PDB file of all heavy atoms in Angstrom:
ATOM      1  N   GLY A 230     -16.567  -3.283  -9.240  1.00 87.00           N
ATOM      2  CA  GLY A 230     -15.557  -2.713 -10.136  1.00 87.00           C
ATOM      3  C   GLY A 230     -14.309  -3.578 -10.143  1.00 87.00           C
ATOM      4  O   GLY A 230     -13.866  -4.049  -9.106  1.00 87.00           O
ATOM      5  N   ILE A 231     -13.766  -3.814 -11.339  1.00 86.00           N
ATOM      6  CA  ILE A 231     -12.463  -4.494 -11.420  1.00 86.00           C
ATOM      7  C   ILE A 231     -11.420  -3.416 -11.662  1.00 86.00           C
ATOM      8  O   ILE A 231     -11.576  -2.571 -12.542  1.00 86.00           O
ATOM      9  CB  ILE A 231     -12.460  -5.535 -12.559  1.00 86.00           C
ATOM     10  CG1 ILE A 231     -13.399  -6.670 -12.172  1.00 86.00           C
ATOM     11  CG2 ILE A 231     -11.042  -6.071 -12.805  1.00 86.00           C
ATOM     12  CD1 ILE A 231     -13.518  -7.741 -13.205  1.00 86.00           C
ATOM     13  N   GLU A 232     -10.360  -3.474 -10.852  1.00 81.00           N
ATOM     14  CA  GLU A 232      -9.363  -2.397 -10.908  1.00 81.00           C
ATOM     15  C   GLU A 232      -8.538  -2.428 -12.172  1.00 81.00           C
ATOM     16  O   GLU A 232      -8.202  -3.491 -12.688  1.00 81.00           O
ATOM     17  CB  GLU A 232      -8.407  -2.524  -9.720  1.00 81.00           C
ATOM     18  CG  GLU A 232      -8.801  -1.683  -8.553  1.00 81.00           C
ATOM     19  CD  GLU A 232      -7.749  -1.778  -7.458  1.00 81.00           C
ATOM     20  OE1 GLU A 232      -6.872  -2.645  -7.524  1.00 81.00           O
ATOM     21  OE2 GLU A 232      -7.829  -0.971  -6.541  1.00 81.00           O
ATOM     22  N   ASN A 233      -8.172  -1.254 -12.607  1.00 79.00           N
ATOM     23  CA  ASN A 233      -7.171  -1.120 -13.642  1.00 79.00           C
ATOM     24  C   ASN A 233      -5.866  -1.690 -13.072  1.00 79.00           C
ATOM     25  O   ASN A 233      -5.443  -1.276 -12.005  1.00 79.00           O
ATOM     26  CB  ASN A 233      -7.016   0.387 -13.904  1.00 79.00           C
ATOM     27  CG  ASN A 233      -6.256   0.657 -15.158  1.00 79.00           C
ATOM     28  OD1 ASN A 233      -5.544  -0.209 -15.650  1.00 79.00           O
ATOM     29  ND2 ASN A 233      -6.405   1.844 -15.673  1.00 79.00           N
ATOM     30  N   GLY A 238      -4.411   1.946  -9.687  1.00 61.00           N
ATOM     31  CA  GLY A 238      -5.636   1.350 -10.241  1.00 61.00           C
ATOM     32  C   GLY A 238      -6.953   2.091 -10.060  1.00 61.00           C
ATOM     33  O   GLY A 238      -7.432   2.242  -8.957  1.00 61.00           O
ATOM     34  N   GLU A 239      -7.535   2.514 -11.186  1.00 69.00           N
ATOM     35  CA  GLU A 239      -8.904   3.020 -11.141  1.00 69.00           C
ATOM     36  C   GLU A 239      -9.805   1.873 -11.599  1.00 69.00           C
ATOM     37  O   GLU A 239      -9.324   0.802 -11.914  1.00 69.00           O
ATOM     38  CB  GLU A 239      -9.061   4.175 -12.131  1.00 69.00           C
ATOM     39  CG  GLU A 239      -8.147   5.334 -11.858  1.00 69.00           C
ATOM     40  CD  GLU A 239      -7.820   6.093 -13.143  1.00 69.00           C
ATOM     41  OE1 GLU A 239      -8.443   5.809 -14.187  1.00 69.00           O
ATOM     42  OE2 GLU A 239      -6.931   6.943 -13.080  1.00 69.00           O
ATOM     43  N   ILE A 240     -11.114   2.142 -11.664  1.00 68.00           N
ATOM     44  CA  ILE A 240     -12.027   1.096 -12.137  1.00 68.00           C
ATOM     45  C   ILE A 240     -11.776   0.839 -13.624  1.00 68.00           C
ATOM     46  O   ILE A 240     -11.737   1.753 -14.443  1.00 68.00           O
ATOM     47  CB  ILE A 240     -13.499   1.517 -11.922  1.00 68.00           C
ATOM     48  CG1 ILE A 240     -13.772   1.732 -10.441  1.00 68.00           C
ATOM     49  CG2 ILE A 240     -14.451   0.479 -12.505  1.00 68.00           C
ATOM     50  CD1 ILE A 240     -13.591   0.526  -9.569  1.00 68.00           C
ATOM     51  N   PHE A 241     -11.572  -0.402 -13.971  1.00 76.00           N
ATOM     52  CA  PHE A 241     -11.273  -0.797 -15.348  1.00 76.00           C
ATOM     53  C   PHE A 241     -12.553  -1.295 -16.007  1.00 76.00           C
ATOM     54  O   PHE A 241     -12.812  -1.057 -17.173  1.00 76.00           O
ATOM     55  CB  PHE A 241     -10.236  -1.919 -15.286  1.00 76.00           C
ATOM     56  CG  PHE A 241      -9.736  -2.389 -16.615  1.00 76.00           C
ATOM     57  CD1 PHE A 241      -8.828  -1.631 -17.328  1.00 76.00           C
ATOM     58  CD2 PHE A 241     -10.145  -3.610 -17.132  1.00 76.00           C
ATOM     59  CE1 PHE A 241      -8.340  -2.082 -18.542  1.00 76.00           C
ATOM     60  CE2 PHE A 241      -9.662  -4.058 -18.338  1.00 76.00           C
ATOM     61  CZ  PHE A 241      -8.752  -3.290 -19.048  1.00 76.00           C
ATOM     62  N   GLN A 242     -13.348  -1.974 -15.219  1.00 78.00           N
ATOM     63  CA  GLN A 242     -14.512  -2.659 -15.753  1.00 78.00           C
ATOM     64  C   GLN A 242     -15.519  -2.827 -14.625  1.00 78.00           C
ATOM     65  O   GLN A 242     -15.136  -3.193 -13.518  1.00 78.00           O
ATOM     66  CB  GLN A 242     -14.043  -4.058 -16.189  1.00 78.00           C
ATOM     67  CG  GLN A 242     -15.005  -4.777 -17.042  1.00 78.00           C
ATOM     68  CD  GLN A 242     -14.874  -4.327 -18.481  1.00 78.00           C
ATOM     69  OE1 GLN A 242     -13.798  -4.361 -19.035  1.00 78.00           O
ATOM     70  NE2 GLN A 242     -15.956  -3.889 -19.064  1.00 78.00           N
ATOM     71  N   ALA A 243     -16.773  -2.505 -14.894  1.00 83.00           N
ATOM     72  CA  ALA A 243     -17.795  -2.744 -13.871  1.00 83.00           C
ATOM     73  C   ALA A 243     -18.642  -3.914 -14.321  1.00 83.00           C
ATOM     74  O   ALA A 243     -18.878  -4.087 -15.523  1.00 83.00           O
ATOM     75  CB  ALA A 243     -18.649  -1.505 -13.686  1.00 83.00           C
ATOM     76  N   ASN A 351      -7.175  -0.440 -22.152  1.00 47.00           N
ATOM     77  CA  ASN A 351      -6.630   0.783 -21.556  1.00 47.00           C
ATOM     78  C   ASN A 351      -5.134   0.871 -21.790  1.00 47.00           C
ATOM     79  O   ASN A 351      -4.455  -0.134 -21.876  1.00 47.00           O
ATOM     80  CB  ASN A 351      -6.859   0.769 -20.047  1.00 47.00           C
ATOM     81  CG  ASN A 351      -8.239   1.287 -19.721  1.00 47.00           C
ATOM     82  OD1 ASN A 351      -9.121   1.247 -20.566  1.00 47.00           O
ATOM     83  ND2 ASN A 351      -8.414   1.721 -18.496  1.00 47.00           N
TER      84      ASN A 351
END
Side-chain angles (χ1 to χ4, degrees):
I231 292 179
E232 265 184 348
N233 193 341
E239 300 152 9
I240 299 298
F241 184 76
Q242 194 82 54
N351 275 23

